[in-house]
Amino acid sequence: MLVLGIETSCDETGIALYDTRRRLLGHALYSQVDMHRDYGGVVPELASRDHIRRVLPLVAQVLEQTNISLEAIDAIAYTQGPGLAGALLTGASIGNALAFARNIPVLNIHHLEGHLLSPLLSDPAPDFPFVALLVSGGHTQLMHVKGIGQYKLLGETVDDAAGEAFDKTAKLLGLDYPGGKLLADLATQGQPGRFRLPRPMLNSNDLNFSFSGLKTAAALLINKHKQKASTQTRADIALAFEDAVTDVLVKKSITALKITRLQQLVVAGGVGANSRLRQKLQHHLAGTGIVVFFPELEFCTDNGAMIALAGALRLQQLNEKPPGSDGSFTIKARWNLEDL
Amino acid sequence: MNIIALDTSTEYCSLALWLNGNIISREKLAGQRHSELLLPMLQTMLTEAGVALSQIEGIAFGAGPGSFTGLRIACGIAQGLAFARDIPVVGVSTLEALAQQVDASRVLAARDARMGELYFAAYEKMETGWFPVHAPLLCRPETAPEVIGEGWTGCGSGFALHQSVLSKTYSENLQQIIPDCYPHAREIAQLAAIKFANGEGRAAEEALPVYIRNKVALKESERQR
Ligand SMILES: Nc1ncnc2c1ncn2[C@@H]1O[C@H](COP(=O)(O)OP(=O)(O)O)[C@@H](O)[C@H]1O
């Protein structure tokens, strides 16, 4: 079965075609990050205005690149939430109208379910059940994933998301928006051990995270050196920050694996692209028999492939094909993954 | 020609079928529920009219100005329907739709743009259609642009909200004011039929909202310290 996926929850327009037998057939992505950079962050109204210009041209591009006609598509999967309301509504309107006009079913996908399942796009892919560490600009969660739609929250951040802490600290270091990746690049020049930042909640007896105190400590450190902050000093601070965040993420993930006695860890979301995090996890899990899975770099951040995949897996799980869409739709700007 | 017209630029959700010159139309007070109501309403209308979607040859939508989110719902649905059926789209100005509705020879159409501003346009009826003396623009009620001559009809929520200022500005021009009228798919269908006949239909992906208010955020470099 062939599923067209549409992602428009924030500042990326993603379109993809996924087939339950032949897997990912094609995908296209447009990132608005350059547009929002001048504003220092995502402007919701501008994001929506851009999505409505991009969705159909990207759909046309994916159909052409895969040489598949719209008539061959069996269902449409779109991101119903969570995310920016106006941005979600844009993808929802186009996706639902397409499904209505072709009389095919529509699948309402949870954005984070897409992220959780994104390592299934790779080879080798994990099997259910697994522990998922979801780290993005908006979320930091540990999940016990038993199967499609069976997600149990093990722990999450009590304040800032890890990606958000990366971005805010990067800004204080004078880096462009979104600075997570740039901070990581700067940290590669850093001298280990020159600074040490706190690792909040490292030894709390739960699987929750906190990053706002760490961000404040980094801000104090940056201010202290402001006058004479050489590139080297900035790199050293970046490294100390990255070290602290990744230490906490690694420790809590390992604890989650111990508690659940599971043998597979899946890392998803934008911060999953961070190489220090990847190296540390590989290093700590070497020899334990636990395997860690990362999505391909291009599927770490928002994309249409993970939405098409989630739709296809949901469709496959149903006993019979659902009826064609009646065209009525709503979005869910706030939506708890456990409510699925 | 058979056309579907839709408008979600206000708190109403309206739909019309133009079937070779015959019009069927419907509307509902939607609040924020346009996305839930619109396509099921369309299905009911098509079924009652005995028309299949495959017999529709063009899609028209209220392109704006109006609620930004509303404009995108109408535009997104129009894009999706047209792309799926491979038929053309036209976007129709909601201010021109107001002019068409009041059906006077000279019309000042004004809609509330929030933040103390108006979306404003002035039209004169010609044999070929509505001539925009002032194409849709954004202004404060005090700075609404001048028009020449008498016999103008003022209409739209802008006149309801700023009646005293606008009556003063246009005291030499206004003949009557019709404050409570809102854009409706019925007139969008009528105007679209002309536009399609004039070859103004576009591919689905070229159909876009016309916001008029284009500055919606300040760049970091434009913010006061
Ligand atoms: N190499 C990296 N190291 C650290 N953070 C990164 C890296 N690459 C991307 N990020 C961060 O990932 C986040 C974006 O991820 P994404 O999954 O798109 O999140 P969301 O949809 O919640 O914004 C941003 O906060 C960004 O700074």
Side-chain angles (χ1 to χ4, degrees):
Chain A
M1 270 175 303
L2 194 55
V3 178
L4 178 74
I6 302 177
E7 156 65 33
T8 62
S9 67
C10 188
D11 58 347
E12 256 106 27
T13 317
I15 303 293
L17 265 179
Y18 188 93
D19 181 75
T20 43
R21 214 160 29 80
R22 293 175 291 163
R23 305 181 64 190
L24 186 65
L25 299 179
H27 69 104
L29 186 79
Y30 181 85
S31 173
Q32 307 173 353
V33 66
D34 288 339
M35 175 178 79
H36 295 295
R37 184 171 294 123
D38 292 344
Y39 299 87
V42 176
V43 182
E45 175 60 23
L46 293 182
S48 307
R49 290 184 178 198
D50 206 62
H51 285 302
I52 197 133
R53 285 197 288 268
R54 307 284 175 198
V55 172
L56 282 185
L58 290 179
V59 171
Q61 184 184 326
V62 171
L63 292 174
E64 191 179 307
Q65 138 204 334
T66 53
N67 202 13
I68 285 171
S69 76
L70 193 63
E71 288 74 29
I73 291 169
D74 296 297
I76 292 188
Y78 75 99
T79 307
Q80 189 184 25
L84 302 172
L88 290 165
L89 262 173
T90 304
S93 301
I94 299 172
N96 280 280
L98 282 172
F100 173 86
R102 297 232 56 84
N103 195 25
I104 55 177
V106 71
L107 301 146
N108 309 319
I109 302 300
H110 192 295
H111 179 75
L112 295 182
E113 174 170 55
H115 274 303
L116 279 188
L117 300 176
S118 60
L120 298 177
L121 291 164
S122 311
D123 258 322
D127 297 315
F128 297 114
F130 53 77
V131 171
L133 170 67
L134 192 68
V135 268
S136 68
H139 295 86
T140 302
Q141 302 185 327
L142 277 161
M143 285 271 174
H144 182 167
V145 179
K146 295 177 196 157
I148 308 287
Q150 297 174 272
Y151 311 120
K152 186 164 168 271
L153 185 68
L154 299 171
E156 66 183 328
T157 181
V158 297
D159 42 53
D160 290 354
E164 190 181 356
F166 260 97
D167 293 341
K168 287 179 179 169
T169 307
K171 192 166 183 178
L172 294 171
L173 284 167
L175 299 169
D176 259 351
Y177 162 89
K181 168 85 171 67
L182 298 173
L183 186 151
D185 292 345
L186 183 62
T188 59
Q189 314 293 319
Q191 241 177 67
R194 176 155 171 226
F195 298 114
R196 190 175 166 83
L197 286 167
R199 281 135 176 81
M201 296 182 77
L202 187 68
N203 297 311
S204 68
N205 276 324
D206 57 27
L207 296 171
N208 290 335
F209 305 85
S210 163
F211 293 108
S212 81
L214 169 58
K215 184 195 67 199
T216 309
L220 288 172
L221 189 58
I222 293 165
N223 271 332
K224 207 172 104 190
H225 289 271
K226 195 129 207 178
Q227 269 32 339
K228 46 184 192 325
S230 60
T231 307
Q232 187 58 52
T233 300
R234 288 167 58 244
D236 296 343
I237 297 173
L239 176 60
F241 172 83
E242 188 185 42
D243 233 6
V245 175
T246 49
D247 269 0
V248 180
L249 294 175
V250 169
K251 165 110 193 263
K252 299 271 172 171
S253 300
I254 291 175
T255 310
L257 287 161
K258 280 195 187 132
I259 292 174
T260 55
R261 302 208 178 138
L262 294 175
Q263 294 291 309
Q264 299 175 103
L265 175 69
V266 156
V267 182
V271 183
N274 184 274
S275 4
R276 193 166 308 271
L277 175 64
R278 290 185 171 215
Q279 283 158 15
K280 279 189 187 172
L281 280 171
Q282 300 281 17
H283 174 76
H284 283 278
L285 294 174
T288 60
I290 293 171
V291 190
V292 52
F293 297 85
F294 300 98
E296 310 282 339
L297 280 180
E298 61 179 332
F299 301 135
C300 275
T301 40
D302 294 351
N303 63 85
M306 66 184 193
I307 302 303
L309 165 78
L313 294 178
R314 289 214 163 250
L315 196 58
Q316 220 171 7
Q317 214 189 17
L318 301 168
N319 291 328
E320 52 191 283
K321 195 176 166 188
S325 160
D326 74 349
S328 182
F329 61 96
T330 52
I331 53 105
K332 299 177 180 169
R334 302 169 70 95
W335 187 8
N336 198 327
L337 187 56
E338 283 192 302
D339 295 342
L340 271 184
Chain B
M1 185 175 188
N2 296 329
I3 301 168
I4 291 172
L6 43 106
D7 183 79
T8 58
S9 70
T10 68
E11 65 265 31
Y12 285 86
C13 175
S14 64
L15 269 164
L17 299 179
W18 167 281
L19 304 171
N20 295 316
N22 292 319
I23 297 191
I24 309 169
S25 72
R26 191 160 298 179
E27 67 288 314
K28 254 186 204 165
L29 184 59
Q32 306 241 27
R33 299 179 59 231
H34 303 88
S35 67
E36 288 169 63
L37 299 174
L38 194 128
L39 286 169
M41 257 168 87
L42 172 62
Q43 186 57 64
T44 309
M45 286 175 72
L46 288 169
T47 308
E48 284 174 12
V51 176
L53 202 53
S54 56
Q55 291 169 273
I56 299 296
E57 299 157 276
I59 311 285
F61 71 103
S67 135
F68 299 158
T69 297
L71 301 183
R72 277 187 296 268
I73 292 176
C75 179
I77 289 178
Q79 284 188 0
L81 294 174
F83 190 81
R85 310 255 19 124
D86 200 14
I87 52 177
V89 187
V90 293
V92 173
S93 165
T94 52
L95 293 174
E96 193 175 335
L98 283 181
Q100 177 79 6
Q101 190 175 120
V102 300
D103 196 27
S105 56
R106 297 173 138 187
V107 181
L108 303 176
R111 295 188 70 183
D112 178 20
R114 309 249 177 102
M115 302 159 82
E117 293 183 299
L118 293 175
Y119 297 120
F120 179 93
Y123 296 97
E124 278 202 62
K125 196 186 235 167
M126 303 279 179
E127 245 162 65
T128 47
W130 291 100
F131 175 77
V133 177
H134 293 293
L137 54 84
L138 184 68
C139 64
R140 302 192 57 80
E142 308 79 53
T143 60
E146 271 181 41
V147 291
I148 298 166
E150 299 176 351
W152 290 83
T153 297
C155 69
S157 60
F159 275 90
L161 227 70
H162 303 284
Q163 183 144 5
S164 56
V165 181
L166 292 175
S167 315
K168 211 190 282 160
T169 310
Y170 296 110
S171 57
E172 313 267 286
N173 317 105
L174 281 173
Q175 180 180 45
Q176 57 169 341
I177 294 179
I178 308 177
D180 36 318
C181 58
Y182 56 90
H184 195 291
R186 192 174 45 233
E187 288 81 29
I188 289 173
Q190 292 167 353
L191 296 170
I194 302 168
K195 289 179 196 289
F196 277 120
N198 291 340
E200 291 175 43
R202 292 283 171 273
E205 51 267 50
E206 288 170 40
L208 291 174
V210 178
Y211 304 101
I212 306 298
R213 187 189 288 285
N214 289 322
K215 188 87 191 151
V216 292
L218 290 179
K219 293 186 178 174
E220 280 193 313
S221 57
E222 296 164 331
R223 280 176 219 157
Q224 283 174 349
R225 299 237 134 217

